[in-house]
Amino acid sequence: MKRRLTTAVASASVAAALLLAAPVAAQAYVPTGPNTVTVTVTSNGPVPVSGFQPGTEVTFTLVGRGVTGANIATANLPVTSASVTKTADSSGAATAVVTLPANPSGPYTLAASGARADGSAGSGSGSNPGGGTALPATGVNGESLMGIYIGGGALVLAGATVAVAAKVRRNRAENKA
């Protein structure tokens, strides 16, 4: 009986750790670089981005909660991304049409990547406007790991509780003998 309980607790601990670690791997990628302009999308409709070389291929990548290949997002889903390629017109502008849900959840970012007419990232409201040389932000922030910290603490507390209970039971059994 003791062995089955220990095995069950160990199995549950491993399963809980795996469930808590799974969302860490599912982070959507927002393209950045000197030829990329990023725009925060707050409503449905066309999103024109200018400053590209005429006739060049421009790849638009929409990142947000529940984004699908049809640029339709659904609330309460993990952050994902979808891409589409458009061709810049004779003035160097390319346009992507974005459709968000009735109640969007979280931020939606549209990144446009392609050969720029002036060789810089342009003057959009992007993370690297004007082709700056600053390094991009990398790594993780503490807020995104809060669930893992709480879950890990709970697992450590549960393990300590099981260890103490086993020790107390063993001591009582020795005292009775």
Side-chain angles (χ1 to χ4, degrees), residues 127-143:
S127 61
N128 190 14
T133 58
L135 292 174
T138 60
V140 295
N141 62 19
E143 293 173 8

Side-chain angles (χ1 to χ4, degrees), residues 51-160:
F52 295 102
Q53 292 178 1
T56 190
E57 296 281 317
V58 179
T59 302
F60 288 94
T61 303
L62 181 64
V63 178
R65 287 193 183 270
V67 172
T68 65
N71 293 345
I72 299 174
T74 315
N76 297 327
L77 293 176
V79 175
T80 56
S81 66
S83 296
V84 65
T85 301
K86 303 287 183 171
T87 303
D89 61 16
S90 60
S91 66
T95 303
V97 178
V98 176
T99 304
L100 299 177
N103 297 316
S105 174
Y108 293 89
T109 304
L110 183 68
S113 301
R116 303 290 291 165
D118 59 2
S120 70
S123 59
S125 61
S127 61
N128 190 14
T133 58
L135 292 174
T138 60
V140 295
N141 62 19
E143 293 173 8
S144 66
L145 296 175
M146 186 58 69
I148 293 174
Y149 294 147
I150 292 171
L155 287 174
V156 168
L157 183 62

Side-chain angles (χ1 to χ4, degrees), residues 7-22:
T7 304
V9 170
S11 298
S13 299
V14 169
L18 290 174
L19 285 174
L20 288 172

